[in-house]
Amino acid sequence: MTFRRQPASLIRIATGTSVCLALLAALTMGWQPGVMAAWQEDATEGDATQKEAMQEIDEADLQREELFIIDREPFDRLYFDAANDNWELDVDPIELEGVDATDPIDPTNKTGRLVFTMRDYPGRKFATPWSVLVKIERYADLVLGESEKAMSEGDYGTAFRTLTFLDNQPGFGRRAKISQMMDRCLYEDGEANLQTSHFGEALAAFEELYQRSPRFPVRG
């Protein structure tokens, strides 16, 4: 998820709970813990205002969900804890010292706060305590998840496209898994086309599979 309207000083990301997201106008001005606490205490908008803000966010998310993940600009996804309604927030790729763009990030073993940016708010920086995050998914992992979902739904064209995208990412690991998924995708696509008498499409899938993996085990 991502914000679609600019918060005045702070937007709460959950109603009736402690605030876990604060806008930092500029880190160069100097961040003080007292500022974060003051923003938390001042964020006491009424329920109607909170629901309105969340509704606008949800409507914007519906528009984004119409696009495949690989057709969007790269982003990472933050998952907040149950105390914050299990909120999900899409942010610009997280930059941490010594951490590559495809490296996993475990928020449960970190302290302090995570500073990040969002595409809708250029030039602004946001922060959230690491302690309220339960998981972070990197962009490549989100693409892989989309591919797995597409395969489970029989959408082999989308699955193969996303897997090909990952296969062309120089820094992404799990090459063996991606290769195996691509082979299985071609095989299941060929099988599905055979069952629906689309013999040309089936032959094309099986030929590509043979070129990739001549020893791929098939049911005989």
Side-chain angles (χ1 to χ4, degrees), residues 159-169 178 182 208:
F160 198 80
R161 188 166 76 96
T162 53
L163 289 169
T164 301
F165 173 85
L166 288 176
D167 197 41
N168 292 328
Q169 300 302 304
I178 292 174
M182 293 177 80
E208 184 167 357

Side-chain angles (χ1 to χ4, degrees), residues 81-143:
D81 58 19
N84 290 284
D85 290 351
N86 300 308
W87 191 259
E88 298 175 12
L89 183 67
D90 292 348
V91 303
D92 291 339
I94 297 171
E95 297 182 0
L96 298 176
E97 185 176 356
V99 178
D100 292 334
T102 58
D103 288 344
I105 299 176
D106 181 6
T108 62
N109 62 9
K110 295 185 179 297
T111 58
R113 75 192 195 284
L114 168 67
V115 178
F116 59 91
T117 59
M118 292 190 287
R119 191 169 306 280
D120 291 341
Y121 298 96
R124 293 181 178 271
K125 293 188 178 182
F126 296 80
T128 186
W130 282 106
S131 59
V132 300
L133 296 174
V134 296
K135 185 174 70 170
I136 294 177
E137 275 193 292
R138 311 309 302 271
Y139 180 68
D141 294 315
L142 291 166
V143 173

Side-chain angles (χ1 to χ4, degrees), residues 195-212:
Q195 294 175 9
T196 55
S197 299
H198 293 106
F199 301 116
E201 290 86 344
L203 179 60
F206 289 139
E207 283 182 341
E208 184 167 357
L209 173 60
Y210 180 77
Q211 291 175 1
R212 284 180 47 83

Side-chain angles (χ1 to χ4, degrees), residues 24-35:
L24 303 182
L27 287 179
T28 53
M29 296 175 61
W31 179 83
Q32 299 294 330
V35 175

